[in-house]
């Protein structure tokens, strides 16, 4: 059976790297004694696949992980229900550090696209200091009005010019914060993800994010956008779940 | 004061590897500070990756936090980018557990395991906002304490530290806590009074209460300044490891560190008697943990941490009584899933490799052995009694069981070493390759060459270290031999330790109080993280020595004489000076000395002086291998083949330049 897990990365743990998070999960799965399938060979690795990497320092309410579980004897998977999911989420939460919180667990189809291939865009909450909502709104409008936004990006060690306008799928001023403003942005991830800091640089090179949080990842299903796994109650952005 | 986290969080985006500074490890304790508790900040003055796994620090962290009258948090040396960020934002050194400023703590306790981190200690003090010099501190400032192996010769740090603790810390941290707690309760009266109280504790040395006297350039005495201060400070030794099953909750970091696995200490101390090895000499006698306790600590630890690897640590784990049963239990504990066990210090024999083969479930990449010297003669001098048959047996066992790479550790610059001894290292490596070819098409043997640095409280403490030029010449000898050997050495790789770093280690290993200004000079000129090759700069040290009018020759390269006062003579690791001197003479006579664990005592002092003894479950030496068990030891007086060491002054050597 293949399980898909959605988890948050909030607070102090946001300073761990993508690699660190992978190792944290490997240990947590052993602690929670989940029957994870292992690769064959001299140094067997657990069969895990992570979705899009999150930059070190960014928070998230929408990280994903697929886990291949060992086949049960007889090939029959145990029936899956709400209790199984809750119980598994609780066991994993206990094994994970504060700030990495399981939001949803569910079986997923075997095969199909990997998470990295399937996800087409992400919604980001970007907090900027020393900018009020009016100024922000002006900047947003100017950016959205442009037909082309050409930026320099590094690709395979070379600097290339690329138009990123089509990757800015939506951009809004969400609300005022204590020290500035929060933007909400839907940014494309194919063929290569547009990063929130690249968006800011295109708006105004002097802007710096105080914090960045991935709110959603989206895939396409018959032209509708859906999340790889939904959470019953979607948490408020930057909830106070801090370490 | 409250947490600095809000400020730190804003700057962590600017540094490399910010996860070094977040804490949050599984096993972390966030203690409640109160005015009636003594607050310890335990500092490992190297990077987080190197410092976090340190077991000594973790043991004390738990013991202190279990006390109702104390708290302990941890700090590691901020990397240079972080130090810059802290200074430019006006932020101090902080603890990782609750991100408090260092000024919230009563005691800054440093664990020192290398001389090259001494400037990092100054860096940490400066970032903590504590005056560098002990004599400039007031009762508002923290007490600065050092422990760890380097504390056995704390004299070069005498200007900067308030106290040095010798030996095992398990018991003495509680005694120190009580003194500091009472001092706080009484309103932190005079600093002199609390230091005076600390000086009454066994194992605690207060450099400021001693005067060092010189006759010209020669140290003639270090003596107490006042009545009631001991003329000799003795080390602390815990009698039985079974009473100290720590760490109970080993810290599991969120980011990668060295030795990233469960570590269970199976015994402390080693009496193999390798004469170059300070760790073995100062941690005598052998104290084994009961096998049952080891099993419990392994099983519980794996379940709690989620690690799939456990290391059974000690100075020579294959010597643990019943090692086979213990590792068999660890690997067969189903509850822990697929577990790999590692023995960080393999003994050089086929028996040991057999155990390694049984337990190393992970990929068999490389095995490491430490024959330490190339010839049997040389190994008798250093008392590392490995036969060539042991080595080839071990290597054969490794290659035949799937390993393709073998790493061999050697020292160069040993007493009486000749070029023949040095070159014999390559002959051993070549023959190991030959053995390997029986099993693999291209086996490799990596020879890792360290420069020998004489250490206090070893029989070699009187030996004049090889000069940088000489060490480099010896390394060059091996490089040339490989280069000119054509295909002879196919598969042999040579790595070596920077000879210049050995010079600095040697300077402080046997240095005295006059070196304080040298450390300060190097630190003021930006010399931090000197144990990192990208930061190490010999010129900083040489220039500082010149500015202080001191010579490397006298500190590093000079042989000491029998009756000369050594800077650590007023401290004691339990070993009688005459035992060490006799062992030094035996070394020069190429006489091996058997392990006292399994034969009658030599009265070195480590047990006899403190009324303790070995705690060893098995009365007989382990099976397999002659190493140090007396089998095959050549007891003939080898004077006819000995290479004389001149113990009087040698011709002057030029150092450093022109090589
Ligand atoms: S006192 Fe005796 S038994 Fe103890 S370590 Fe020394 S020689 Fe060995």
């Amino acid at each position: 059976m293949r399980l898909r897990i959605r988890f948050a990365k909030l607070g102090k743990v946001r300073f761990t790297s993508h690699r660190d998070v992978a190792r944290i999960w490997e240990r947590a799965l052993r602690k929670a004694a989940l029957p994870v399938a292992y690769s064959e060979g001299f140094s067997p690795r657990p069969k895990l696949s992570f979705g899009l990497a999150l930059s070190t320092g960014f928070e998230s309410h929408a990280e994903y992980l697929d886990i291949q579980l060992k086949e049960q004897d007889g090939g029959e998977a145990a029936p899956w229900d709400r209790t199984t999911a809750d119980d598994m989420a609780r066991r994993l939460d206990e094994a994970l550090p504060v700030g990495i919180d399981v939001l949803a667990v569910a079986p997923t189809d075997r095969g199909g696209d990997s998470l990295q291939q399937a996800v087409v865009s992400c919604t980001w909450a970007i907090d900027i200091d020393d900018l009020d909502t009016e100024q922000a709104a002006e900047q947003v409008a100017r950016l959205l009005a442009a037909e082309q936004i050409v930026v320099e990006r590094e690709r395979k060690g070379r600097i290339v010019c690329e138009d990123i306008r089509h990757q800015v799928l939506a951009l809004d001023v969400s609300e005022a914060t204590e020290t500035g403003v929060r933007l909400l942005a839907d940014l494309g991830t194919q063929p290569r993800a547009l990063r929130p800091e690249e968006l800011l640089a295109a708006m105004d090179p002097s802007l710096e994010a105080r914090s960045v949080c991935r709110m959603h990842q989206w895939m396409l299903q018959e032209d509708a956008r859906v999340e790889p796994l939904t959470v019953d109650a979607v948490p408020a952005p930057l909830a106070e779940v801090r370490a | 004061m409250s947490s600095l986290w809000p400020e730190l969080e804003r700057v962590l985006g600017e540094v490399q590897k910010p996860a070094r500074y977040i804490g949050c490890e599984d096993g972390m304790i966030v203690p409640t500070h109160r005015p009636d508790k003594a607050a310890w900040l335990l500092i490992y003055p190297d990077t987080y990756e190197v410092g976090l796994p340190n077991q000594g620090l973790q043991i004390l962290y738990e013991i202190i936090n279990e006390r109702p009258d104390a708290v302990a948090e941890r700090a590691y040396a901020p990397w240079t980018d972080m130090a810059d960020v802290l200074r430019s934002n006006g932020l101090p050194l902080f603890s990782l557990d609750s991100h408090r400023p260092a000024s919230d703590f009563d005691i800054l306790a440093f664990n020192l395991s290398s001389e090259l981190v001494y400037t990092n200690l100054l860096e940490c003090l400066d970032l903590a906002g504590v005056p560098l010099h002990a004599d400039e501190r007031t009762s508002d400032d923290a007490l600065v304490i050092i422990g760890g192996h380097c504390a056995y010769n704390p004299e070069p740090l005498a200007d900067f530290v308030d106290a040095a603790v010798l030996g095992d810390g398990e018991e003495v941290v509680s005694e120190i806590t009580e003194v500091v707690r009472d001092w706080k309760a009484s309103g932190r009266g005079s600093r002199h009074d609390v230091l005076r109280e600390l000086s009454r504790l066994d194992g605690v040395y207060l450099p400021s209460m001693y005067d060092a006297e010189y006759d010209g350039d020669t140290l003639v005495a270090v003596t107490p300044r006042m009545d009631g201060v001991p003329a000799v400070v003795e080390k602390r030794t815990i009698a039985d490891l079974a009473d100290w099953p720590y760490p109970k909750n080993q810290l599991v970091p969120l980011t990668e560190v060295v030795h990233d696995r469960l570590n269970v200490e199976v015994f402390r101390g080693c009496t193999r008697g390798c004469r170059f090895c300070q760790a073995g000499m100062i941690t005598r006698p052998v104290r084994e943990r009961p096998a049952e306790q080891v099993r419990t600590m392994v099983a519980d630890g794996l379940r709690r941490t989620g690690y799939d690897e456990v290391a059974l640590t000690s100075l020579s784990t294959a010597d643990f009584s019943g090692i086979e049963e213990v590792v068999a239990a660890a690997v067969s504990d189903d509850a822990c899933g697929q577990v790999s066990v590692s023995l960080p210090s393999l003994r050089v024999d086929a028996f040991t490799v057999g155990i390694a083969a049984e337990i190393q479930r992970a990929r068999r990449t490389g095995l490491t052995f430490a024959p330490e010297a190339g010839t049997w003669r040389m190994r008798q001098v250093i008392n590392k009694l490995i036969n060539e048959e042991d080595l080839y047996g071990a290597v054969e066992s490794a290659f035949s069981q799937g390993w393709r790479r073998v790493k061999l550790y050697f020292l160069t610059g040993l007493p009486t070493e000749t070029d023949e001894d040095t070159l014999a290292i390559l002959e051993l490596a070549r023959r190991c390759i030959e053995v390997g070819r029986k099993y693999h098409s291209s086996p490799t043997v990596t020879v890792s060459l360290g420069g020998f640095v004489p250490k206090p409280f070893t029989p070699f403490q009187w030996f004049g270290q090889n000069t940088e030029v000489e060490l480099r010449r010896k390394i060059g000898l091996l490089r040339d031999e490989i280069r000119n050997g054509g295909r002879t050495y196919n598969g042999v790789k040579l790595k070596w330790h920077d000879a210049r770093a050995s010079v600095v280690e040697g300077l402080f290993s046997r240095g005295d109080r006059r070196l304080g200004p040298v450390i300060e000079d190097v630190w003021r000129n930006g010399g931090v993280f000197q144990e990192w090759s990208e930061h190490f700069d010999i010129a900083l040290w040489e220039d500082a020595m010149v500015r202080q009018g001191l010579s490397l020759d006298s500190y590093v390269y000079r042989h000491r004489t029998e009756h000369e006062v050594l800077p650590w003579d007023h401290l004691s690791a339990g070993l009688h000076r005459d035992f060490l001197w006799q062992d030094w003479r035996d070394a020069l006579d190429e006489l091996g000395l058997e392990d006292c664990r399994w034969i009658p005592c030599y009265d070195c002092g480590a047990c006899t002086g403190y009324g303790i003894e070995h705690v060893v479950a098995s009365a007989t030496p382990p099976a397999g291998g002659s190493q140090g068990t007396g089998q095959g030891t050549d007891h003939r007086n080898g004077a006819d083949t000995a290479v004389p060491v001149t113990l009087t002054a040698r011709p002057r050597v030029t150092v450093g330049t022109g090589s």
Side-chain angles (χ1 to χ4, degrees):
Chain A
M1 187 167 69
R2 202 174 165 83
L3 277 186
R4 176 159 293 172
I5 297 176
R6 175 170 175 169
F7 63 97
K9 186 184 181 192
L10 300 168
K12 289 179 182 173
V13 295
R14 74 177 186 276
F15 291 108
T16 55
S17 68
H18 191 61
R19 250 171 77 88
D20 292 336
V21 171
R23 245 192 324 265
I24 290 168
W25 270 101
E26 286 184 22
R27 281 196 304 262
L29 292 167
R30 277 194 297 267
K31 279 159 72 172
L34 245 62
V36 180
Y38 275 72
S39 63
E40 304 289 321
F42 232 153
S43 58
R45 311 291 324 150
K47 289 188 176 172
L48 309 180
S49 69
F50 287 87
L52 292 172
L54 182 72
S55 300
T56 301
F58 288 1
E59 294 186 295
S60 175
H61 287 288
E63 294 307 290
Y64 291 95
L65 160 69
D66 285 352
I67 302 171
Q68 186 66 47
L69 296 184
K70 274 188 211 149
E71 297 304 331
Q72 305 286 325
D73 290 336
E76 281 292 303
W80 185 264
D81 58 24
R82 187 71 216 199
T83 335
T84 326
D86 286 351
D87 175 59
M88 200 169 274
R90 185 188 50 76
R91 267 159 67 195
L92 285 170
D93 260 335
E94 275 170 15
L96 287 162
V98 175
I100 296 191
D101 303 316
V102 176
L103 302 173
V105 187
T108 184
D109 292 343
R110 187 184 285 281
D113 281 351
S114 75
L115 279 164
Q116 266 131 323
Q117 292 163 328
V119 170
V120 293
S121 67
C122 296
T123 305
W124 298 93
I126 306 167
D127 284 11
I128 302 166
D129 281 352
D130 308 321
L131 194 68
D132 62 31
T133 43
E134 251 168 66
Q135 295 166 318
E138 253 171 57
Q139 298 224 25
V140 166
R142 198 176 326 130
L143 184 116
L144 292 177
E147 276 188 12
Q148 268 199 335
I149 307 168
V150 178
V151 300
E152 289 187 344
R153 302 173 87 181
E154 206 186 282
R155 197 166 256 198
K156 292 183 182 144
R158 291 200 3 238
I159 303 290
V160 293
C161 287
E162 275 182 36
D163 178 14
I164 57 160
R165 176 62 188 86
H166 67 284
Q167 285 196 297
V168 184
L169 307 174
L171 182 60
D172 275 315
V173 178
S174 158
E175 60 189 306
T177 63
E178 262 175 46
T179 48
V181 68
R182 170 167 306 153
L183 304 182
L184 271 182
D186 281 3
L187 305 181
T189 59
Q190 303 290 355
R192 215 166 57 110
L194 176 61
R195 293 181 287 124
E197 55 275 40
E198 291 175 313
L199 173 77
L200 288 195
M203 281 172 70
D204 175 353
S206 70
L207 290 182
E208 236 181 274
R210 177 197 180 89
S211 71
V212 178
C213 183
R214 176 143 67 192
M215 306 304 296
H216 304 280
Q217 297 192 37
W218 301 104
M219 19 190 241
L220 284 181
Q221 216 166 55
E222 288 154 13
D223 288 345
R225 70 174 200 176
V226 295
E227 296 191 88
L229 204 58
T230 45
V231 181
D232 299 350
V234 174
L238 306 173
E240 294 305 302
V241 198
R242 287 166 184 274
Chain B
M1 201 199 258
S2 58
S3 166
L4 291 172
W5 180 251
E7 283 94 330
L8 289 167
E9 160 173 66
R10 303 209 56 177
V11 298
L12 280 183
E14 299 166 33
V15 301
Q16 286 174 39
K17 304 192 185 174
R20 286 169 165 168
Y21 309 106
I22 61 174
C24 297
E25 301 88 350
D26 189 357
M28 181 182 88
I29 300 161
V30 181
T32 313
H33 290 241
R34 280 209 322 251
D36 58 349
K37 291 182 180 184
W40 293 71
L41 184 59
L42 305 175
I43 306 171
Y44 195 94
D46 201 336
T47 61
Y48 178 78
E49 299 89 290
V50 175
L52 182 281
N54 184 271
Q55 296 292 291
L57 192 146
Q58 292 197 25
I59 290 169
L60 302 186
Y61 178 66
E62 290 188 7
I63 291 176
I64 297 168
N65 278 316
E66 279 176 8
R67 292 184 62 94
D69 57 355
V71 297
E73 301 200 28
R74 298 160 297 129
Y76 305 88
W79 190 245
T80 49
D81 60 346
M82 184 62 171
D84 291 346
V85 163
L86 290 177
R87 288 197 171 99
S88 64
N89 287 278
L91 292 167
L93 182 76
F94 55 89
S95 70
L96 290 201
D97 312 86
S98 64
H99 292 99
R100 282 168 180 266
S103 56
D104 274 12
F105 295 85
D106 307 308
I107 302 165
L108 305 186
F110 289 87
N111 179 318
L112 299 179
S113 42
S114 153
E115 294 84 7
L116 290 174
V117 303
Y118 288 0
T119 53
N120 282 9
L121 180 140
L122 269 58
E123 175 79 346
C124 289
L125 290 179
D126 185 61
L127 285 168
V130 173
L132 284 192
H133 295 131
D135 61 9
E136 289 164 6
R137 293 177 198 142
T138 70
S139 36
D140 292 334
D141 295 311
L143 299 163
V144 177
I145 301 184
I146 59 170
H149 289 180
C150 290
Y152 278 96
N153 179 20
E155 291 302 279
L157 292 168
D159 291 349
F160 315 110
V161 306
D162 295 305
V165 175
L166 309 186
D168 297 333
E170 279 89 343
E171 293 167 338
V172 71
V173 286
S174 286
E175 295 159 22
I176 296 172
T177 292
E178 283 159 18
V179 168
V180 174
R181 175 203 64 197
D182 292 349
W183 177 57
K184 265 181 106 171
S186 69
R188 287 176 84 119
S190 107
R191 192 174 179 91
H192 175 79
D193 290 351
V194 69
L195 294 177
R196 188 73 189 81
E197 282 307 311
L198 289 175
S199 77
R200 294 184 213 281
L201 303 176
D202 288 340
V204 182
Y205 165 60
L206 283 287
S208 63
M209 309 220 164
Y210 295 75
D211 284 318
E213 266 174 70
Y214 304 91
D215 179 6
D217 275 353
T218 314
L219 177 71
V220 291
V222 182
T223 41
R225 240 183 223 188
M226 55 200 93
D227 284 348
V229 175
V232 173
V233 177
E234 298 284 346
K235 75 161 177 177
R236 297 296 292 263
T237 313
I238 53 168
D240 193 347
L241 212 53
D243 296 338
W244 304 96
Y246 293 91
K248 294 173 178 166
N249 290 302
Q250 186 190 307
L251 294 165
V252 184
L254 301 188
T255 188
E256 203 165 8
V257 299
V258 302
H259 310 315
D260 200 0
R261 59 190 180 206
L262 180 68
N263 294 295
V264 174
E265 184 184 28
V266 295
F267 67 86
R268 198 172 294 178
C270 176
T271 39
R272 287 282 179 182
C274 301
R275 292 179 173 125
F276 56 86
C277 177
Q278 187 194 35
M281 293 289 166
I282 62 180
T283 59
R284 292 171 171 223
V286 174
R287 288 147 293 154
E288 287 186 356
R289 193 181 290 292
E292 192 47 44
Q293 193 178 60
V294 172
R295 276 193 285 270
T296 317
M297 287 175 78
V298 170
D300 292 354
L302 289 171
R303 259 185 289 272
R304 189 190 66 80
T305 60
Y307 276 125
D308 59 354
E309 183 185 355
V310 53
L312 303 176
T313 67
S314 75
L315 291 169
S316 176
T317 297
D319 291 340
F320 183 76
S321 306
I323 183 69
E324 284 173 293
E325 289 79 31
V326 170
V327 294
V331 289
S332 63
D333 187 344
D334 282 338
C336 306
Q338 194 125 14
V339 172
S340 132
V341 182
S342 55
L343 309 179
S345 45
L346 283 186
R347 209 173 56 211
V348 187
D349 55 52
F351 169 79
T352 311
V353 177
I355 300 179
E358 274 169 44
I359 61 182
Q360 198 161 345
R361 295 216 183 147
R363 200 150 30 106
R364 292 179 180 175
T365 45
L367 271 191
T368 302
F369 302 103
E372 308 288 2
T375 57
W376 172 245
R377 186 198 72 78
M378 192 75 258
R379 290 194 296 274
Q380 282 181 299
V381 170
I382 63 176
N383 205 38
K384 180 102 188 187
L385 303 173
I386 300 164
N387 292 334
E388 289 198 20
E389 290 66 43
D390 294 330
L391 177 63
Y392 300 138
V395 167
E396 173 130 26
S397 177
F399 283 129
S400 68
Q401 297 185 76
W403 279 282
R404 283 154 197 283
R405 281 186 316 188
V406 163
K407 190 170 180 183
L408 302 176
Y409 273 111
F410 291 95
L411 286 169
T412 187
L414 291 164
T416 78
E417 184 181 44
T418 63
D419 287 355
E420 197 186 320
D421 296 309
T422 313
L423 286 167
I425 291 172
L426 286 184
E427 178 58 16
L428 283 187
R430 191 189 63 74
R431 293 191 52 186
C432 289
I433 290 277
E434 233 164 57
V435 172
R437 290 236 170 83
K438 291 199 260 173
Y439 304 95
H440 305 289
S441 55
S442 54
T444 64
V445 171
T446 304
V447 169
S448 179
L449 202 61
F452 172 60
V453 176
K455 298 276 171 138
F457 300 109
T458 67
F460 290 170
Q461 65 182 355
W462 288 280
F463 174 65
Q465 184 172 329
N466 275 195
T467 61
E468 181 195 341
V469 175
E470 177 68 355
L471 284 179
R472 289 220 227 191
R473 188 188 66 80
K474 287 175 176 169
I475 295 164
L477 207 62
L478 297 185
R479 293 173 69 187
D480 290 348
E481 174 68 16
I482 290 184
R483 204 176 300 141
N484 302 333
R487 305 177 53 172
T488 318
Y489 299 109
N490 266 0
V492 177
K493 288 186 188 151
L494 184 68
K495 287 186 178 169
W496 58 91
H497 185 68
D498 187 343
R500 294 166 305 177
S502 304
V503 172
V504 177
E505 285 166 37
L507 175 60
F508 293 99
S509 138
R510 294 187 295 168
D512 60 27
R513 294 186 175 199
R514 290 170 292 188
L515 292 176
V518 174
I519 301 171
E520 187 170 341
D521 181 314
V522 170
W523 172 72
R524 289 202 186 278
N525 285 292
V528 292
F529 286 102
Q530 293 295 288
E531 70 287 18
W532 291 75
S533 53
E534 70 246 57
H535 284 292
F536 177 73
D537 185 356
I538 186 74
L540 286 173
W541 298 96
E542 288 172 345
D543 293 350
M545 287 294 282
V546 170
R547 274 193 285 273
Q548 298 305 323
L550 299 171
S551 96
L552 285 175
D553 204 20
S554 140
Y555 277 102
V556 187
Y557 305 136
R558 182 177 60 86
H559 292 306
R560 274 55 164 178
T561 54
E562 180 176 3
H563 298 293
E564 163 171 2
V565 172
L566 302 170
W568 52 94
D569 272 348
H570 57 298
L571 306 175
S572 167
L575 304 153
H576 301 310
R577 204 180 199 266
D578 55 2
F579 168 82
L580 290 174
W581 179 259
Q582 183 58 45
D583 206 32
W584 172 223
R585 303 308 314 185
D586 286 351
L588 299 179
D589 289 343
E590 299 167 14
L591 283 177
L593 192 67
E594 295 164 37
D595 191 324
C596 60
R597 201 172 342 188
W598 302 295
I599 61 157
C601 164
Y602 307 116
D603 186 19
C604 74
C607 305
T608 38
Y610 304 127
I612 53 175
E613 51 191 21
H614 288 304
V615 180
V616 178
S618 165
T620 50
S626 57
Q627 183 183 340
T629 57
Q631 305 152 39
T633 306
D634 185 358
H635 281 280
R636 282 180 303 111
N637 187 322
D640 50 343
T641 52
V643 179
V645 161
T646 320
L647 292 175
T648 48
R650 295 188 308 172
R652 307 295 280 183
V653 279
T654 33
V655 190
T657 50
S659 60

